[in-house]
Amino acid sequence: MAAMDIGIDLGTANVIVTLGNEIIVNEPSVLAYNKKKNEVIAVGTAAHDMLGRTPDYIVVVQPLVDGVISDHDMTMLMIKEFVNKASRNLMVKPQIIICVPSSVTDIENRAVIEAALSAGARKVYLIKEPIAALMGAGADITQPCGWMVVDIGGGTADVAVVSFNGIVTESSVKMAGNKFDQALIRYFANKNKLLLGDKSADALKRTLGNVFEPDSALTTVIKGRNLLKGLPEALEVTQADVYEALHPCAMEIVALIKSVLEKTPPDLVGDILVNGIVLTGGGAMLGGLDRLIAQHTSSPCRLADNPLECVSRGIAKAFDCSDSLLDGFERVSMYKYK
């Protein structure tokens, strides 16, 4: 990858931008917009800190929901701001490669491409998330040998079997980090009449999250608003409580993996027994998820090294093998969508 090539991992929760092989930006997928002045006032971490704390004329938006673009205009502005952060010292227009979910539609592809072109890209490439994730995890996908990847981000879980540089079978479900948080909020609202905020639910998931053999001796204190009294309240919860809330969500991902395995050719399934199932993405760091998947699929399962950055590392590697990658990597011309 050349030093002036830009890679973008456009995630529901975070955007990671690489310049060459170096990560330049790793910030939340959030943008703050001033409606009176019609201008962007903050992006990334600065905008995330404004959530729930702004006057009416400043809107703080998360333009990607469940892995897809929900606000086309704001996504274009956000990508442009992040690209400008990464390319402010470049003398020529960069090549940009953007990672998209495996189930992305042509309309969503077009929105991403237009955003990159408006940000000043010389050429635009797209790469599918499972391909980038496996490459970033260190898998050799150039051989006719099966690899299974489960990439769990903030909005979607992508499951794919890859062999000989191409995707053989794939599927996705809108069950990932954000849905885990919402499950915790619903659970404690229904059981204890305690309403948690999104940030509190995320912190609880990181602290006590476990979907395999929870330890009831592990506890923490959560704080929120009592739904009956309308007053602040603190509550001590155990890892078993968190397990009860999150386990059904994890089983949806297990069911998706099973459905993909059922559609996979037998020889490749045999390869997966050897290579194992590779977990990538922030959502894959949920405690016990690898052991739960291994138990229900009878296949070895491992968490990739530094799973949060697997996709971005794979994007950085993609330019070096663009001639050999098949359906997972393509240079896109706008005429395709006109």
Side-chain angles (χ1 to χ4, degrees):
M1 188 174 186
M4 64 181 65
D5 292 332
I6 292 177
I8 302 176
D9 175 13
L10 195 61
T12 302
N14 289 83
V15 173
I16 300 178
V17 181
T18 58
L19 184 62
N21 293 312
E22 182 182 358
I23 293 177
I24 301 297
V25 175
N26 184 357
E27 298 187 33
S29 308
V30 185
L31 177 135
Y33 189 79
N34 189 319
K35 293 190 290 184
K36 287 184 177 180
K37 297 182 178 180
N38 291 323
E39 65 180 16
V40 176
I41 60 173
V43 68
T45 302
H48 186 266
D49 292 340
M50 296 181 185
L51 281 170
R53 296 180 172 91
T54 60
D56 291 341
Y57 63 88
I58 296 178
V59 292
V60 182
V61 295
Q62 296 171 285
L64 289 101
V65 177
D66 295 337
V68 299
I69 294 172
S70 63
D71 191 322
H72 173 267
D73 294 334
M74 291 299 171
T75 300
M76 289 181 67
L77 289 172
M78 184 177 71
I79 291 177
K80 189 171 183 177
E81 291 293 323
F82 280 129
V83 170
N84 287 340
K85 275 189 176 185
S87 63
R88 63 183 57 178
N89 294 321
L90 297 182
M91 300 300 292
V92 297
K93 289 185 175 182
Q95 296 185 107
I96 295 180
I97 174 172
I98 301 180
C99 188
V100 294
S102 59
S103 57
V104 71
T105 65
D106 278 352
I107 294 174
E108 291 160 356
N109 272 343
R110 178 173 182 168
V112 170
I113 295 160
E114 288 179 344
L117 290 172
S118 69
R122 184 172 84 254
K123 295 177 183 177
V124 180
Y125 296 81
L126 298 180
I127 186 170
K128 291 187 177 180
E129 261 181 33
I131 293 284
L134 271 177
M135 292 175 67
D140 182 7
I141 63 173
T142 62
Q143 303 300 316
C145 179
W147 289 89
M148 172 172 267
V149 61
V150 181
D151 183 56
I152 307 173
T156 61
D158 286 303
V159 179
V161 175
V162 176
S163 177
F164 204 49
N165 294 316
I167 295 174
V168 180
T169 54
E170 63 182 333
S171 189
S172 65
V173 65
K174 293 178 180 179
M175 174 56 68
N178 294 343
K179 290 293 194 297
F180 293 152
D181 297 342
Q182 293 168 15
L184 286 170
I185 292 172
R186 284 195 305 271
Y187 177 84
F188 289 106
N190 293 333
K191 181 180 179 181
N192 303 103
K193 305 306 177 187
L194 182 69
L195 182 63
L196 297 179
D198 292 338
K199 291 183 179 180
S200 298
D202 181 63
L204 176 60
K205 176 185 66 180
R206 295 170 187 269
T207 304
L208 286 188
N210 194 302
V211 292
F212 189 82
E213 296 181 354
D215 183 356
S216 297
L218 295 177
T219 65
T220 190
V221 175
I222 58 175
K223 301 178 181 69
R225 185 176 74 243
N226 187 294
L227 290 171
L228 300 179
K229 303 175 182 177
L231 300 175
E233 184 176 300
L235 176 71
E236 185 178 55
V237 299
T238 69
Q239 191 173 72
D241 294 322
V242 178
Y243 168 88
E244 190 174 340
L246 296 181
H247 187 261
C249 300
M251 289 307 297
E252 284 193 38
I253 295 176
V254 170
L256 179 69
I257 295 170
K258 286 183 174 181
S259 71
V260 172
L261 286 171
E262 289 172 359
K263 297 182 291 185
T264 302
D267 288 338
L268 293 182
V269 172
D271 293 337
I272 292 168
L273 280 175
V274 176
N275 296 327
I277 298 171
V278 181
L279 298 181
T280 64
M285 298 170 70
L286 183 65
L289 183 60
D290 54 345
R291 289 179 290 165
L292 181 73
I293 293 172
Q295 181 189 65
H296 286 273
T297 61
S298 301
S299 302
C301 183
R302 65 178 175 87
L303 184 66
D305 295 334
N306 200 353
L308 281 167
E309 297 179 1
C310 277
V311 171
S312 58
R313 290 200 305 269
I315 293 172
K317 293 179 179 179
F319 273 108
D320 296 331
C321 51
S322 59
D323 292 335
S324 60
L325 289 176
L326 301 179
D327 59 324
F329 185 89
E330 59 178 324
R331 177 184 171 187
V332 181
S333 300
M334 281 306 296
Y335 74 82
K336 178 180 177 181
Y337 298 99
K338 291 181 179 178

